[in-house]
Each structure stands twice: as structure tokens, then as C-alpha cells.
Amino acid sequence: MAERRFSATRLPGFATIAMLAFLALYIPILTLVVYSFNSEVTMGNWGDLTLAWYGKAWANADVKDATLRSLTIAGLAAVISTTLATMAALGTTRRRAFKGQTFIYVMINQPLMVPEIVTAVALMILFGLIKTVTGVHGLGYLVLAHSAFCIPFAYLPIRARLEGMDLTLETAAADLYASAWATFRRVTLPILMPGVIAGAMLAFVVSLDDVVITEFVKSAGQDTLPTYMLGQMRRQLTPEINAISTGLLLVTVAMLTAFFLLTRKND
Amino acid sequence: MTAKNAIEARNVVKAFGQGDTAVRALDDVSVEIRQGEFFTLLGPSGCGKTTLLRLIAGFEMPTDGLILLDGQDITYLPPNKRPVNTVFQSYALFPHLTVAQNISFGLEMMGKPRAEIAARTEKMLALVKLEAMAGRKTSQLSGGQQQRVALARALAPQPKVLLLDEPLSALDLKLRQAMQIELKRLQQETGITFVFVTHDQEEALTMSDRIGVMSNGKLQQVGTAKEIYTTPKNRFVASFIGETNFLAAKADGTKARLASGDVVDLAVPVSGDVTLTVRPEQVRLASANEPGALPATITNLVYFGTDTHVHLALSDGTEVTARVQSPATGDAGLEKGAKAAIRFAPGAVQVVGD
């Protein structure tokens, strides 16, 4: 009889541990979503089922303003970081293994390794200096900061896609009279596209969610949705926050689902 | 003027690596491939045949030497500037394009007018009998169909030379045999020069007008299938193509004395210590009193259906294999350990170099 291979699913207590882990992951979110429909202001009481908080959040000019800013920054940061990440991925995979390759990977993925709070303080100081010297203010600083820390999130799926690509395809394109540019445009990029879109979505979601760096870099009146929510917490906590969170959750889940569909192997 | 050469390689050297660790994948190879012929580069893996193909395609540049196409130096021309197309071993079909888009890719890159591209693509689809599959993604096709798309894609731009890199190796036996016939038909219909790379000697023998046998980065012999089979130049060629017997001998004119003391006739006079080769099917079982018969003992019998391989030992123990038609009934006196006699067919004994 064939020997059974080791499988974690057969260990005693596997199902229990898995269940507990899932509960730990989803109960808080579920609570948040449920309470966003609670008509009572305090968490302790449950009143009626209501959509009033969604209405209130929707009508709130500050929320609208912060949402718009969040989407603008995330959109720009996604485009910029994905473009740079695509170039970086092409640069690091389209060649033979070289000395210091790991070092380059580490350099590219710096934002994943340096504590975010350190980057935040560093950017605050540097941007503060630049603002004082040049007198230039604006959203540009936030866009730049977001683009930078989004690069590794865009880079990783693109690189994975590139590494899975058969290089013979590029050779075949060259054999069929395609110039280097035409090969990139007509063969490499289309095949890479799912990775690029996945990378852009991941970057978008990561930017949308950022608090730490944004909080430190933003000037007055540059609240994004997360920093606005943080600010609200200091005053009075209402289920409006729950409603906004649920909305943010919906957008993120939708994008991540699309991300996983795009990075499935069988396309 | 004699038939023009489609491809000519002159003293081509290709070294990989540098200094002491450098490996010569091609070591001073010169070959002339004629216009419109089906030329096969045959050899074991690592012999340099694929490297030579890649140099002709322009995927690599030689370390030394020249590659000519129609007499023009193309040694350093990039692949997209050469009127040469390749059928890759892995097919390398574009997964994001349909069958028709794959086939028209080369024509589009050449900047052909739309109408011409459409017409030519239609024609190629018909040539490889894939009209019904034009709109399919290539991943939806069978191995044999993918193979035909790869062929159509490479033929569509009407290259001067078509390079085929072991294109049949991924197919099963039945399909491979069908594709061999198909390839030959396509070559004759299009009149394009085919340069075919394979390690399969049978494939080479059945399809090629001429074969170049390679080993260790060197071209060992060039000739028709028959020339290479019947008059191999050296030991490697003799043993790589078909099965054969090697016999050490001392030659003097048209007579050669084997180690066993037996004397055999040579087709071409030569003298000194030589290696003789004779194909198993040219070894006949004879009766002991026949003139020129060599006494031997049957050491083993291997049944192959239509043929039986009779392994024999000469009086000094030298092994010789004879391939004889299997008798219809019984064993016709063939028996392990039995005494026998063999005779070599007239002109069958060849002298080979090392």
C-alpha cells in the first residue's frame, strides 16, 4: 500500500485551530459591519436596523472631500508606482543572474522592511525642509510618498508574472520581424498585463488604506479618508465611522477579489 | 552557375564561457546548404546542432566565422532583419493571440498591407488544414495542431529559409510519423529551404535530401541519407546512424585479415591497420563450405518480429551481429550455441576512420 504523504490537514486539532483562526479574523469585521446598521449612538445599546449612518456619511462634506482626496492619491500613486515597478521587474528578470541580485531586490522592497513610522518621520522632515525652502505646497508630496511605498506591492506580482513567462516568446517575436519595441508592445506587455493590473490594484488598495505616512506628511486640510476617521475618533465616536469603514471595506474586498482572479495561474 | 547556396557557414566557431572554462559548442564548422533542399542537422544532444541553427536565425552571434544567406553576409544581422523563420521546439506560440493572429504576426511586423495579410493568413490556414480553428486561442489546440500553427506562422512571411528545432520531439509516435510526411509535403509545395535539427536518425533518414551529422561541435559528414548510411566516414557516423559491426583488421589492397585470421574482401583498396564496418543486414548466414564463409558460433538470438538479430562470435571471440529475416515457422536451425558460418555481402565491408 502506498504510504500516505505528510499532510497538515490530518494533524489532530487541525479543524479546530483553523476555525478559531478564521473567527479571530472575521468576527471583528462582522461586528463592525453589523453595528454600522445600529440606530443607537453608543455601542452598548442596540436600537433599530437603520441605514441612517450611511446617509449621514454620504451627506458629510468632510467625508466627501477626504474620499475624493484618497481616491486621487491612490489613483495617481497606483499609476506611478506600477510604471516604475514594471520597469524594475523587467530590469531584474530579463537578464542572467548577477552578483548583488538579492541586494537589488532588498533595495526595491525597502518600504516592506523599514518601519513605516521611520519613513513617515523621515519624509516629514525632508518634505518640511523642501516646503520651507521652495514654498511649494500641495498634494504632490502625498502622491510622491504613496507612490514610493506602493512600489514593492506593485513589483512583486509583476515580477512573478515575468518569471513565469517563456522567454522564447520574445525570441519568436524577434524571429518574426518584430523590433525590440514591437516585441515589448505586442508580446511582453500583453502577456504581462494581468500582473500589471494586479500590481496596480494592490498598490491602489495599499495607498487607500495608509494612515501612518499620510498623517505625518499631510499639510492642514489634506485629510484622506483614514486620517479623517482617525481625527474623528479623537472627538466623538459615532457609528458613522462604522458606515465609512464598511464602505472602505467593500471597495477593498472588490479590488482584492479582482486581484486574485487576475493572478490565478490558469489564464 | 551551379545551384546556389541558401545558407553557407564558413569556419564558424561558437565558444561559451571564457578562458580555460570556455566550451566550444561549434568548432570550425563549414557547411553549404543548397537552395530548396531539405537539410537535416543530426547529432546527439550537446553536439552543437541547435547552436548552429541559432546562429543562422540570429539569436546568437558566432565567436568567429561567417554566416551567409544567398551569398550575403548576415553574421551580425539581428533576427528581425533576416528573411529566416524558426519553428521552435516548444512552438512558442503567443498565448494571448488567436491562431489566425499568431499566423499573421510576422506579416504585420513586416508592414504588409491589410488585404495581403488577410489573404496570406487564409492561405496558410488552408495549407496546414486549420481553417476551422482560426479564432481559437492556441491553448485550446492539441499538440499536433499547435505544431501546425507554429509551422504556418513561420511559413507565412515566406522566408528564404525555414529553421526547425526538433519540432516533432513533443509528439507521440503516430503523430510524429504523420507530421514527417506533412513536413515533407509542405517543403515540396512551398519550395522553401528547410534546415531541420534532430537527434532522431530515423527522422533524418526518411525526410532529408541531405544530412549533416554532427558531434562534439564538429560536422562529421555531409551527404544523402544513403551515402551516410552506406559509406560512413568515421566510427561516430557509422555507429550513430543505424546499427553496425566494427572489426579491427590489417589491410593489404582489397584483402583484409581480421583478428580471427579470416580474410575478407574490401570494396576500396587500402593498407595498414584499419577499422572495418559492416551493417548487420549485410551479414548473411552461410553454409560452412561456401567460399569466403567465416566460421562462427551463435551466442544469442533476439527476436524483433520481421527480423531476428543473431549475435555471433568469430573464432577469436570477436562479436558480430547479423540481422536476418525471421523464419516463418520454427527456428530454421538457429539455436544458441550452434556452429554457424557468415558471409559479408559483396561491397558491404567499409573502412572507417576514427
Side-chain angles (χ1 to χ4, degrees):
Chain A
M1 218 179 90
E3 208 179 313
R4 276 190 187 174
R5 280 192 300 154
F6 171 79
S7 164
T9 57
R10 290 205 196 84
L11 291 178
F14 175 82
T16 318
I17 293 171
M19 198 55 88
L20 284 174
F22 278 122
L23 284 178
L25 278 175
Y26 290 100
I27 288 229
I29 291 176
L30 207 66
T31 313
L32 164 84
V33 174
V34 169
Y35 271 92
S36 71
F37 298 106
N38 182 10
S39 63
E40 292 288 325
V41 176
T42 47
M43 284 292 232
N45 306 318
W46 180 265
D48 298 318
L49 220 52
T50 179
L51 285 173
W53 300 115
Y54 287 90
K56 203 159 171 244
W58 187 255
N60 188 334
D62 288 341
V63 173
K64 233 181 253 175
D65 178 57
T67 307
L68 208 65
R69 191 170 297 109
S70 268
L71 292 176
T72 310
I73 294 172
L76 288 171
V79 170
I80 295 170
S81 62
T82 307
T83 308
L84 291 172
T86 305
M87 283 157 47
L90 283 167
T92 50
T93 55
R94 282 291 182 274
R95 54 191 0 271
R96 293 200 184 130
F98 59 98
K99 255 199 186 133
Q101 193 167 2
T102 313
F103 181 66
I104 297 282
Y105 288 160
V106 172
M107 297 265 287
I108 291 169
N109 292 318
Q110 178 261 15
L112 292 181
M113 288 170 240
V114 175
E116 204 182 346
I117 191 81
V118 175
T119 310
V121 174
L123 283 176
M124 181 182 70
I125 295 169
L126 179 67
F127 286 164
L129 214 62
I130 296 174
K131 281 177 198 169
T132 329
V133 172
T134 62
V136 177
H137 293 259
L139 216 53
Y141 295 101
L142 275 175
V143 172
L144 262 179
H146 278 230
S147 302
F149 73 70
C150 283
I151 286 175
F153 296 97
Y155 172 75
L156 293 174
I158 296 172
R159 199 186 99 193
R161 182 92 193 162
L162 261 179
E163 280 176 345
M165 183 182 160
D166 179 7
L167 274 181
T168 320
L169 295 174
E170 289 178 1
T171 310
D175 186 60
L176 292 162
Y177 313 105
S179 62
W181 173 244
T183 300
F184 178 73
R185 264 295 289 117
R186 298 289 304 274
V187 175
T188 315
L189 197 58
I191 291 172
L192 201 56
M193 222 18 146
V196 171
I197 293 171
M201 281 178 163
L202 212 53
F204 186 87
V205 168
V206 168
S207 161
L208 204 60
D209 176 54
D210 182 73
V211 179
V212 180
I213 289 176
T214 314
E215 187 67 24
F216 277 78
V217 171
K218 75 179 165 74
S219 307
Q222 287 191 338
D223 263 321
T224 61
L225 201 52
T227 61
Y228 168 78
M229 288 160 71
L230 190 69
Q232 286 308 101
M233 283 186 50
R234 291 188 189 123
R235 288 165 211 158
Q236 190 203 5
L237 199 63
T238 68
E240 192 185 337
I241 292 286
N242 295 351
I244 298 168
S245 299
T246 307
L248 202 53
L249 180 71
L250 269 178
V251 174
T252 311
V253 166
M255 297 206 68
L256 287 183
T257 309
F259 167 79
F260 281 114
L261 288 177
L262 279 167
T263 46
R264 270 187 318 181
K265 282 283 169 214
N266 57 346
D267 52 329
Chain B
M1 202 167 132
T2 50
K4 263 171 58 184
N5 290 327
I7 291 284
E8 190 182 340
R10 271 190 209 157
N11 308 104
V12 170
V13 173
K14 176 67 182 173
F16 290 105
Q18 281 173 354
D20 294 341
T21 56
V23 176
R24 286 202 161 194
L26 290 175
D27 193 357
D28 195 14
V29 169
S30 295
V31 64
E32 295 177 3
I33 298 169
R34 295 172 197 146
Q35 215 134 57
E37 81 174 333
F38 195 120
F39 190 92
T40 298
L41 287 166
L42 173 68
S45 60
C47 71
K49 57 192 191 300
T50 297
T51 305
L52 183 55
L53 201 75
R54 292 176 65 82
L55 290 179
I56 298 172
F59 305 147
E60 315 227 12
M61 304 295 154
T63 312
D64 202 2
L66 289 179
I67 308 269
L68 308 177
L69 176 93
D70 275 351
Q72 302 268 333
D73 184 357
I74 58 159
T75 316
Y76 299 106
L77 214 57
N80 58 320
K81 300 271 166 61
R82 301 183 184 207
V84 170
N85 291 138
T86 309
V87 176
F88 294 86
Q89 186 169 15
S90 60
Y91 312 146
L93 299 177
F94 303 127
H96 59 297
L97 301 180
T98 64
V99 169
Q101 287 167 336
N102 262 280
I103 295 174
S104 59
F105 188 89
L107 298 163
E108 276 176 49
M109 291 299 119
M110 292 168 95
K112 297 275 185 209
R114 233 168 239 284
E116 190 187 329
I117 294 175
R120 185 103 193 104
T121 304
E122 283 290 310
K123 215 175 139 192
M124 294 318 296
L125 280 165
L127 187 70
V128 295
K129 305 189 183 84
L130 281 175
E131 296 101 320
M133 304 287 171
R136 295 268 184 100
K137 279 272 164 74
T138 55
S139 57
Q140 297 168 301
L141 304 183
S142 70
Q145 289 169 333
Q146 292 186 10
Q147 167 73 84
R148 299 219 294 277
V149 177
L151 262 169
R153 185 181 70 173
L155 282 170
Q158 291 173 295
K160 291 201 169 135
V161 177
L162 185 76
L163 307 175
L164 303 105
D165 185 10
E166 309 224 18
L168 307 182
S169 59
L171 305 177
D172 62 51
L173 182 68
K174 267 264 158 60
L175 205 52
R176 195 156 67 226
Q177 286 168 342
M179 281 307 298
Q180 285 176 9
I181 296 165
E182 182 89 0
L183 271 180
K184 194 76 198 165
R185 174 181 74 87
L186 285 175
Q187 197 261 331
Q188 278 158 356
E189 268 176 37
T190 57
I192 291 172
T193 309
F194 276 33
V195 181
F196 185 88
V197 158
T198 185
H199 64 270
D200 183 333
Q201 42 132 331
E202 203 173 290
E203 217 164 79
L205 292 177
T206 52
M207 292 197 290
S208 323
D209 293 320
R210 286 194 311 148
I211 300 170
V213 184
M214 292 187 71
S215 118
N216 287 328
K218 287 197 159 91
L219 198 62
Q220 304 290 338
Q221 186 173 0
V222 177
T224 63
K226 202 175 162 194
E227 281 164 7
I228 284 184
Y229 188 77
T230 56
T231 54
K233 222 167 103 184
N234 58 31
R235 239 185 133 92
F236 174 81
V237 175
S239 61
F240 191 74
I241 291 111
E243 288 171 60
T244 198
N245 295 296
F246 289 113
L247 302 162
K250 211 177 257 306
D252 185 13
T254 57
K255 298 281 180 200
R257 183 177 294 275
L258 304 181
S260 62
D262 300 304
V263 174
V264 296
D265 291 324
L266 299 180
V268 182
V270 64
S271 62
D273 289 326
V274 290
T275 303
L276 305 179
T277 180
V278 56
R279 299 283 177 190
E281 67 272 17
Q282 304 289 352
V283 181
R284 312 254 161 91
L285 294 176
S287 57
N289 51 11
E290 231 178 282
L294 282 52
T297 310
I298 297 176
T299 57
N300 201 10
L301 292 165
V302 184
Y303 182 69
F304 277 96
T306 50
D307 292 334
T308 298
H309 283 194
V310 183
H311 296 259
L312 305 119
L314 297 181
S315 56
D316 68 325
T318 305
E319 289 174 19
V320 177
T321 303
R323 182 161 152 185
V324 300
Q325 217 166 39
S326 296
T329 53
D331 53 15
L334 294 179
E335 203 181 312
K336 217 164 138 176
K339 293 272 169 222
I342 54 169
R343 217 164 50 81
F344 299 135
V349 180
Q350 297 288 331
V351 177
V352 291
D354 281 320

